[in-house]
Amino acid sequence: MEFRPSVTPGLMPGHHTGQLGTFLTGSESFSDFVGVTAPHLMPGAGIGSAGATGPHPANAAESLGVPHGTTIVALTFAGGVVIAGDRRATSGNVIAQRDIEKVFVTDNHSAVGIAGSAGIALEMVRLFSVDLENYEKLEGVPLTLDGKANRLAGMVRQNLGAAMQGFVVVPLFAGYDTAISDPAQAGRIVTYDPTGGRYDENLGFHAVGSGSVFAKSSLKKLYDPAADLDGAVRTALEALYDAADDDTATGGPDTVRRIYPVVVGITADGAVRRSDDDVAAVVEQVVAGRTERPGGPRR
Amino acid sequence: MTMPFYSSVDQLLRDRSELARKGIARGRSVVVLTYAGGVLFVAENRSTALHKVSEIYDKIGFAAVGRYNEFENLRTGGIRMADFRGFTYDRRDVTGRMLANAYAQALGTAFVEQQKPFEVELCVAEVGAESGGDQLYRITYDGSITDEPRFVVMGGQTDPISTKLQETYEHGLELGAAIEVALGGLQVPGADPAASANGANAAARVLSAEALEVAVLDRTRERRTFRRLEGAALTELLPAANRGTEPEPDVAGGDDTPAAGGALGEGGSS
């Protein structure tokens, strides 16, 4: 006799009925569960099949003109890590959106910034956040920082097929490792390549996206591992200003419309997005400094 | 083909009911009640790892009594279902009513179709935007579902606890007072599962922070409203009499008992 067959009919792909019984078994991770039971909800689903028939698969992204996110910066400081991103999305030479948000708090002690194909990247972050929360609720404890970083690597890897057709997603992961007692060492930055390769940035700062070359040069000069949170926020905004200064796809602070970069600070107390008023105050200092010295401050 | 011998449906269901009821009555009790700031869960539970109370979603909490492996499975399914819904549609589209219905369906189906019913009783609680909007759903082993406006008592000896709460519970209690009311119920003479069957004459117990699992759905919190109250934060909220720290000796965490009461072997001592 089959014991209790109708409550757990087994998760056959395509036979997901939406009843509770079909949720009782299945993969450990939420994103794997979604991938098996509802593959159409995965980030970038459908691109593989749609693009394969096209004449120039590698240019699929370009011909569709989907928006691209641009510059994200992250740097560690004495109390943790700061991650910030500009607010522009571009499609070719057109500004697709002026106030897009590309930095997200993904759980209590982590945040992700995204560059690249915006639509897929936003879905990826949404799925990643649910995945972290799902694990935390099931197990009663959050994933370790390395666990989170690897989870995100898996998602980027799954997007490789889409990346080959131009829909590249480049996340930048920042987190506070609660297992490390020294706050100066606990802030961590992880970067990825489109194949899902995961790289820990041990130098304390990194940037991704079209303006990243200029942002990184700026960070290299200004980065101070002993800075406090306010100092790190200032450095991040200086770096974004430098990126916007030289990269057309990166948006500078828009004081007319009051659109400022998104800044998230992660300390032992958790990941907190800085309020717009906070950021505006620092942006005013940055802009005032640049009127004196267009090249930016010296450390 | 062998002929299955006949037994009436009525008798079958009654036997299953009895099995489930006995299993549920063996454990320790859980009290869920609404207070001014949201929903309060208080469970008698010595284990810090085997939870009876859990977060399901932003505004939804879960409490269960009975067999741990069975309600843990249901809890996992509920969390996955809620997350899946929230991911498919929007976070606001996940409701306690939907989840309570899903549990009722699963338990009801199992009760009718399976040899052995679930030996569990569940409470799905949802905190509303205002104090009138809180919902407590009680789902029993046979899939019956009720919507309780005030409080839910499940597991162990519920009658003396319910009677006590009927007297002491009132709407709009502050957190500390609400915990005191819940404890008053759990500590009532006759509610102790370890006491003998006619323990109504036994002395009232005093439960310390170590013997309690307490959590709230806190209306004032931004997104995820579920919060556990543990350690010093919990002790501070307990009535003065319960703040003693002497741990009870030899009480195992969790309160699973063997299936069917650990049917006696020949000359066995269990």
Side-chain angles (χ1 to χ4, degrees):
Chain A
M1 179 188 302
E2 213 182 328
F3 191 64
R4 195 166 284 165
S6 67
V7 189
T8 54
L11 279 172
M12 304 300 288
H15 281 84
H16 195 72
T17 60
Q19 287 193 316
L20 184 74
T22 48
F23 291 96
L24 292 180
T25 54
S27 320
E28 164 98 344
S29 126
F30 181 75
S31 50
D32 290 347
F33 179 82
V34 173
V36 172
T37 56
H40 58 281
L41 293 178
M42 293 298 280
I47 289 175
S49 51
T53 54
H56 303 293
N59 296 328
E62 215 172 297
S63 59
L64 280 179
V66 293
H68 268 64
T70 47
T71 310
I72 308 290
V73 300
L75 67 157
T76 59
F77 66 99
V81 59
V82 164
I83 181 167
D86 75 307
R87 300 289 291 272
R88 183 170 290 180
T90 58
S91 169
N93 64 317
V94 176
I95 295 175
Q97 197 180 353
R98 288 179 202 288
D99 61 350
I100 189 173
E101 297 189 358
K102 297 180 288 187
V103 175
F104 299 90
V105 174
T106 45
D107 76 348
N108 267 345
H109 288 95
S110 72
V112 172
I114 45 135
S117 202
I120 300 175
L122 293 175
E123 276 302 289
M124 192 182 284
V125 172
R126 200 160 79 92
L127 183 59
F128 180 63
S129 312
V130 179
D131 209 339
L132 297 187
E133 186 189 316
N134 184 263
Y135 182 95
E136 190 182 325
K137 288 190 291 198
L138 292 186
E139 300 297 320
V141 288
L143 272 171
T144 58
L145 188 114
D146 291 286
K148 294 173 201 170
N150 288 336
R151 185 69 237 148
L152 187 56
M155 290 187 181
V156 176
R157 192 175 305 122
Q158 284 203 321
N159 193 53
L160 180 60
M164 302 282 277
Q165 297 172 42
F167 302 94
V168 183
V169 173
V170 191
L172 182 61
F173 177 82
Y176 186 93
D177 193 344
T178 47
I180 295 176
S181 51
D182 177 12
Q185 303 297 317
R188 299 262 301 273
I189 300 168
V190 182
T191 56
Y192 301 90
D193 71 27
T195 62
R198 174 201 150 176
Y199 310 96
D200 285 71
E201 297 301 331
N202 295 320
L203 292 179
F205 61 88
H206 200 80
V208 295
S210 61
S212 61
V213 180
F214 311 109
K216 257 191 277 190
S217 304
S218 175
L219 284 170
K220 187 159 73 181
K221 307 289 182 197
L222 297 176
Y223 173 64
D224 174 13
D228 59 1
L229 178 58
D230 291 338
V233 170
R234 173 77 188 256
T235 307
L237 291 173
E238 295 280 2
L240 283 176
Y241 192 100
D242 280 322
D245 212 13
D246 285 312
D247 173 39
T248 52
T250 304
D254 188 338
T255 49
V256 175
R257 297 186 183 82
R258 296 186 59 77
I259 300 170
Y260 303 110
V262 177
V263 183
V264 173
I266 313 173
T267 63
D269 296 334
V272 180
R273 180 177 164 172
R274 313 279 289 182
S275 73
D276 268 356
D277 292 342
D278 268 13
V279 177
V282 185
V283 162
E284 270 163 34
Q285 292 170 23
V286 172
V287 173
R290 300 282 170 147
T291 53
E292 302 286 320
R293 247 185 89 84
R298 285 191 192 142
R299 184 153 83 83
Chain B
M1 185 184 156
T2 54
M3 280 286 286
F5 61 86
Y6 176 79
S7 53
S8 78
V9 175
D10 188 49
Q11 185 61 41
L12 263 176
L13 296 188
R14 211 172 320 169
D15 286 354
R16 286 179 197 161
S17 272
E18 196 183 333
L19 176 94
R21 242 187 243 149
K22 264 164 81 187
I24 294 164
R26 269 194 292 269
R28 301 190 178 92
S29 311
V30 176
V31 173
V32 186
L33 50 84
T34 58
Y35 73 103
V39 178
L40 169 71
F41 303 88
V42 181
E44 187 184 347
N45 187 359
R46 264 101 185 148
S47 171
T48 51
L50 307 173
H51 295 304
K52 289 182 175 179
V53 173
S54 160
E55 171 184 16
I56 297 273
Y57 210 64
D58 292 354
K59 298 188 183 320
I60 304 171
F62 171 93
V65 292
R67 301 204 71 75
Y68 181 79
N69 68 331
E70 293 182 349
F71 70 67
E72 172 67 9
N73 196 15
L74 290 166
R75 182 186 77 95
T76 310
I79 290 174
R80 216 177 255 144
M81 184 176 201
D83 277 340
F84 188 77
R85 274 245 173 173
F87 183 70
T88 311
Y89 304 117
D90 186 76
R91 297 196 78 87
R92 285 174 303 169
D93 297 314
V94 180
T95 60
R97 190 189 57 80
M98 175 276 290
L99 206 65
N101 275 330
Y103 279 132
Q105 287 294 334
L107 292 182
T109 312
F111 182 74
V112 178
E113 293 183 357
Q114 307 304 316
Q115 283 282 302
K116 177 197 161 304
F118 280 101
E119 290 172 69
V120 296
E121 190 164 333
L122 314 176
C123 173
V124 173
E126 183 176 23
V127 63
E130 289 134 30
S131 66
D134 300 337
Q135 301 277 359
L136 305 179
Y137 299 96
R138 175 211 295 270
I139 302 118
T140 55
Y141 56 87
D142 59 352
S144 316
I145 176 168
T146 48
D147 175 2
E148 308 271 351
R150 288 144 49 94
F151 58 82
V152 169
V153 181
M154 307 184 297
Q157 306 302 316
T158 51
D159 286 348
I161 303 177
S162 297
T163 313
K164 175 80 176 171
L165 284 182
Q166 293 286 2
E167 296 163 11
T168 52
Y169 177 85
E170 48 192 290
H171 272 293
L173 291 168
E174 287 306 313
L175 182 55
I179 291 178
E180 194 171 348
V181 165
L183 279 181
L186 290 174
Q187 292 173 167
V188 83
D192 184 2
S196 55
N198 55 353
N201 311 321
R205 298 175 301 154
V206 177
L207 297 168
S208 67
E210 281 76 36
L212 295 170
E213 182 184 353
V214 181
V216 290
L217 294 173
D218 185 345
R219 207 190 315 286
T220 56
R221 279 165 68 94
E222 275 280 304
R223 201 167 68 86
R224 289 168 70 180
T225 56
F226 186 87
R227 180 164 58 101
R228 287 188 189 283
L229 299 173
E230 295 166 313
L234 172 58
T235 308
E236 223 166 83
L237 287 164
L238 292 180
N242 296 71
R243 289 184 196 172
T245 51
E246 74 287 4
E248 289 156 271
D250 304 332
V251 183
D255 56 35
D256 255 8
T257 48
L264 281 175
E266 286 300 313
S269 58
S270 68

